[in-house]
Amino acid sequence: MKNIKKRFALIVALMMALTVFTGCGSSSKEEVTVASTDAAVTEAITTTEEVTTTTEATTTEAVTTTTEATTEATTTTTEATTTEATTTTEATTTTAATTTTAATTTTAATTTTAATTTVATTVTTTAATTAATTATTAASTTSSEIWIAAWGSSMQTAYSSDTIPSEATSGRTITIRQQIRPSIDGDEVRFTISNQYGSTPLVIDSMEIAILTSSSSYKIDTSTIVTVTYNGSTKITVPAGQTITTDTISFSFSALDDIAVSMKVSAMPSTITLHRASRCTNWIISGDHVSDNSWSSASEFTMWYFLAEMDVMADSSGGAIVCLGDSLTDGASIDTNSFARYTDKLAELLQADSSLSGYSVINMGVGATSFLGSTDNSTGLGRVERDIIDVAGVKYCIVYMGVNDIGYASTDISQKIINGYETLIEECHEAGIKVIGCTITPFNGSSYYSELHEQIRQTVNDYITSSSSKFDGYIDLASAVASDSDSSKMASKYVSTWNDYLHFNATGYRYVGTTIYNYLKNFIS
């Protein structure tokens, strides 16, 4: 029986040696780890000198073969090395046990255990390091996409003095077609629709978007029409006092395209939520005309009804630049459909700059509003959360506001304005938004001017440009547009067609936009 067992063991050893010689067999990472702790297994990497002391020719050949196989394996990939090392170890164990003395086996085991362990550890570490490096490289080179506001407006409540087309108050089904000009391009979009100030629901039976053929015409390219849905339904109901975000839809367009948003409305809220000064033509007509161009009898108006924001899915390397302000940001005095607000010029310049074309410009200017005052949405400070922080993808905020506060002040309110700035900055910083301050432009020659008001302006501007300012940066618009002979007065070439020495004309607004761009291209870089 003992002879049979010995013969059987010898046969097994020879078969395993042949397996190594022909390159067959496989092993897992776990098997390499086990082999490194087995004393018998360590004989697999016995040195050539130890191999030659054996008296069995077959064993010598097997070990030699093993050495060659191991050498070959170590020159291949990490995974192959692990497999060959394990197979070799298994193949040699029995042979070594039957041909070497106990003392030799013990010595070899002591000598080579550390070596085997080192090899196994090296293999494992190399594989892990390679995988981690690959994953890190992939993560750093793969761009991600986020929602970024491509267009937006600050919502207001309609006043009784607002000229609202009769169709909007008739109580019958109407269609509203409004144009917007997104400042970055996209293929996937969603809309924010607001009924914030309504006391009854807004019911939109259908809503479609398309490319306008012209900014001054209601006609659309009907081949570009896409239906907007909300929770999978084409009928959109916005409850009183609330705002909703539509489903994501596929719609391809380029930056600065004029897009028509058409809504068939069957229930108009008792109070309309709007932006009072769109500076572009919109249309309203009785009946259902969402998908056609039969609008010759439509009424025109220059407000945005219910549209608060249009977002696009875009590369996260870009973002939104929110411009918070009053009428000087809203574009007071410019011609309808001229797109001459400073934000329009800024958007054009960013798009022309390949390194900054991923940044949108969101105009959150509201005419006749102050920076301080109540904490509701009628003031700049009260609009921080809704009109800055909640804007999709916002990274920067430009604050150009405070002139109305100064114009109506009866005492020195400079410190109040400064405190207000710092409150806004703190809230934005908590949201990861950088804030850039613009100095308040001169207004000597307007009804706002007095020695007190000029003193407040100078004090506030000194803070904005000082090293102690909390702003992340500043743009000295005051110096940029001031008269060469009188820094308290705007240069005449920039004064509005109203000649009020407070607002800009188209040239002035575009110059402001260019000045802000020249600052941002360095600041963002």
Side-chain angles (χ1 to χ4, degrees), residues 107-352:
T107 303
T110 303
T111 303
T112 59
T113 297
T116 306
T117 302
T118 301
V119 172
T121 303
T122 301
V123 170
T124 304
T125 303
T126 301
T129 303
T130 302
T133 302
T134 302
T136 302
T137 303
S140 62
T141 58
T142 302
S143 61
S144 59
E145 291 192 327
I146 59 173
W147 284 111
I148 298 175
W151 174 90
S153 66
S154 181
M155 292 284 95
Q156 304 168 267
T157 181
Y159 298 147
S160 58
S161 58
D162 289 329
T163 303
I164 298 176
S166 59
E167 292 89 343
T169 59
S170 64
R172 60 181 181 268
T173 297
I174 60 171
T175 305
I176 304 169
R177 179 166 289 172
Q178 305 177 86
Q179 64 168 310
I180 61 175
R181 179 175 282 189
S183 50
I184 54 174
D185 52 26
D187 296 302
E188 292 182 286
V189 303
R190 67 182 187 185
F191 289 87
T192 300
I193 305 173
S194 177
N195 188 22
Q196 180 177 352
Y197 301 110
S199 57
T200 56
L202 165 66
V203 180
I204 303 171
D205 290 344
S206 61
M207 176 175 170
E208 294 179 350
I209 56 175
I211 304 295
L212 276 170
T213 58
S214 168
S215 63
S216 58
S217 172
Y218 53 76
K219 292 185 178 181
I220 59 174
D221 179 351
T222 55
S223 68
T224 64
I225 292 175
V226 174
T227 299
V228 179
T229 61
Y230 175 57
N231 289 336
S233 174
T234 56
K235 186 172 184 176
I236 303 171
T237 300
V238 186
Q242 295 188 28
T243 298
I244 65 100
T245 300
T246 68
D247 299 334
T248 300
I249 60 171
S250 297
F251 181 74
S252 297
F253 63 92
S254 298
L256 308 181
D257 276 349
D258 292 310
I259 295 175
V261 182
S262 302
M263 300 176 177
K264 176 189 173 185
V265 180
S266 60
M268 186 74 79
S270 55
T271 300
I272 296 175
T273 299
L274 51 71
H275 181 79
R276 190 159 290 109
S278 62
R279 316 290 176 193
C280 63
T281 306
N282 299 305
W283 305 269
I284 187 169
I285 192 171
S286 298
D288 181 3
H289 295 280
V290 170
S291 303
D292 62 49
N293 284 321
S294 302
W295 287 69
S296 57
S297 60
S299 298
E300 295 183 349
F301 63 103
T302 53
M303 303 175 183
W304 280 307
Y305 289 171
F306 315 118
L307 287 176
E309 190 168 309
M310 175 186 180
D311 304 332
V312 300
M313 186 61 72
D315 195 286
S316 60
S317 60
I321 302 169
V322 171
C323 301
L324 186 76
D326 44 43
S327 57
L328 291 168
T329 297
D330 207 15
S333 89
I334 67 170
D335 294 335
T336 300
N337 298 325
S338 65
F339 297 96
R341 299 172 298 181
Y342 91 71
T343 53
D344 296 313
K345 183 61 177 179
L346 176 59
E348 291 172 8
L349 292 170
L350 291 173
Q351 280 304 305

